[in-house]
């Protein structure tokens, strides 16, 4: 493995910001779509699945600019974050995630079937792509961290749905006799899954970690200690303003996408130096 692209979580605005960055970077000759490995967590799993299935960044960026007619904003603000922090207030990370999973199972949310229809509609392909794609999730019962790939025996729709199942907002995804929630409950980025790559680019709409979650800085330090070149991009001040406080508000999507594309101009040189 030579080059890895890590796509972190961040809601619908995170999806938009990542596509803006990817399109802006491609415009400047930095083709992150050529990654040998793509790691996707939550929103990043959706972007990663689309990218690996052949969706062009420019096309995806244009889609983010469309008015969100008929789309309802879910709520994920300070109150929702506080609930997760409380549920995950355990020193043991697995036990903390199991508490979050129990909260997610008990929460009132839309049906699994309706949510699966939404996820399926957003994917350009239903089969796992030929490019190596890792999709992260958490077992809601045990709290164990799970990584799905083409050899896992799980459909791409279910894997992405599980990774995007924000606890308390969307229903846990049933796969076999288990239920799964957002991979961001282990880490909002999970950059350590890129271990072994010589060049790693991390797009992190949010790097906020709480409780026993591994911190992005520590994951990046470990990658560099192994000899990898690593570049990390988080939203700049303009992008943070465009995203706003509710990352699940589709009304902010277009602004977030434009902010990501604008930001690409300022980070392209650093990313190109890493990407090679």
């Amino acid at each position: 493995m030579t080059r890895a692209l890590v796509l972190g979580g961040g809601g619908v605005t995170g999806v938009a910001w990542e596509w803006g960055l990817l399109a802006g970077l491609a415009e400047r000759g930095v083709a992150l779509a050529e990654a040998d490995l793509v790691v996707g967590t939550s929103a990043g799993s959706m972007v990663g699945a689309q990218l690996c299935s052949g969706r062009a960044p420019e096309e995806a960026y244009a889609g983010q600019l469309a008015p969100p007619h008929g789309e309802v904003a879910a709520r994920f603000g300070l109150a929702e974050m506080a609930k997760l922090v409380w549920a995950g207030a355990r020193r043991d990370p697995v036990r903390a995630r199991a508490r979050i999973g129990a909260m997610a199972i008990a929460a009132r949310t839309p049906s699994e079937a309706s949510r699966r229809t939404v996820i399926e509609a957003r994917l350009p392909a239903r089969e796992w792509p030929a490019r190596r794609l890792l999709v992260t999730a958490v077992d809601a019962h045990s709290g164990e961290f799970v990584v799905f790939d083409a050899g896992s025996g799980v459909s791409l729709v279910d894997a992405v749905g599980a990774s995007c199942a924000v606890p308390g907002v969307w229903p846990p995804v049933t796969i076999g006799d288990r239920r799964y929630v957002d991979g961001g409950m282990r880490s909002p980025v999970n950059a350590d899954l890129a271990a072994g790559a010589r060049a790693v680019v991390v797009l992190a709409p949010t790097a906020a970690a709480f409780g026993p979650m591994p911190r992005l800085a520590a994951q990046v330090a470990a990658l560099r200690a192994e000899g990898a070149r690593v570049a990390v991009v988080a939203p700049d001040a303009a992008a943070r303003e465009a995203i706003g406080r509710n990352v699940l508000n589709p009304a902010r999507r277009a602004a977030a996408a434009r902010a990501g594309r604008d930001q690409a101009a300022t980070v392209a040189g650093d990313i190109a130096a890493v990407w090679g």
Side-chain angles (χ1 to χ4, degrees), residues 67-122:
H69 296 313
E71 296 187 45
V72 179
R75 183 68 195 173
F76 192 77
L78 294 178
E80 288 72 22
M81 177 58 75
K83 292 178 183 177
L84 289 181
V85 171
W86 177 84
R90 291 291 184 275
R91 291 186 178 182
D92 180 86
V94 177
R95 290 184 64 189
R97 294 194 296 265
R99 274 177 57 95
I100 292 172
M103 182 195 78
I105 291 172
R108 296 180 62 183
T109 65
S111 70
E112 279 193 65
S114 65
R115 181 62 177 161
R116 193 180 197 279
T117 297
V118 170
I119 297 296
E120 190 170 25
R122 291 176 179 171

Side-chain angles (χ1 to χ4, degrees), residues 42-276:
S42 198
S45 73
M46 177 63 72
V47 175
Q50 292 174 332
L51 188 70
C52 291
S53 297
R55 192 169 194 195
E58 191 63 39
E59 174 194 357
Y61 169 74
Q64 298 303 309
L65 303 182
H69 296 313
E71 296 187 45
V72 179
R75 183 68 195 173
F76 192 77
L78 294 178
E80 288 72 22
M81 177 58 75
K83 292 178 183 177
L84 289 181
V85 171
W86 177 84
R90 291 291 184 275
R91 291 186 178 182
D92 180 86
V94 177
R95 290 184 64 189
R97 294 194 296 265
R99 274 177 57 95
I100 292 172
M103 182 195 78
I105 291 172
R108 296 180 62 183
T109 65
S111 70
E112 279 193 65
S114 65
R115 181 62 177 161
R116 193 180 197 279
T117 297
V118 170
I119 297 296
E120 190 170 25
R122 291 176 179 171
L123 293 175
R126 306 294 179 266
E127 303 299 323
W128 283 87
R131 178 103 33 100
R132 190 175 181 221
L133 171 66
L134 303 182
V135 174
T136 67
V138 167
D139 186 313
H141 304 281
S142 68
E144 294 292 335
F145 181 55
V146 178
V147 180
F148 297 118
D149 62 13
S152 63
V154 173
S155 76
L156 181 61
V157 174
D158 286 338
V160 172
S163 193
C164 293
V166 180
V169 177
W170 305 123
V173 171
T174 302
I175 301 174
D177 62 352
R178 311 298 290 179
R179 300 188 77 187
Y180 297 88
V181 295
D182 197 318
M185 296 304 100
R186 185 262 183 176
S187 162
V189 185
N190 293 302
D192 51 333
L193 294 182
R198 66 168 177 81
V200 182
V201 172
V202 179
L203 305 187
T206 177
F210 57 88
M213 282 184 174
R215 272 43 179 179
L216 175 58
Q219 294 177 344
V220 169
L223 291 171
R224 287 175 174 157
E226 293 177 350
R229 301 192 305 271
V230 185
V232 178
V233 185
D236 59 15
R240 291 194 299 272
E241 183 177 355
I243 289 168
R245 293 186 176 183
N246 181 12
V247 299
L248 298 181
N249 183 2
R252 292 276 189 167
R253 189 174 57 203
R258 292 189 182 97
R261 186 157 201 155
D262 291 343
Q263 191 175 350
T266 65
V267 301
D270 290 341
I271 294 179
V274 165
W275 203 240

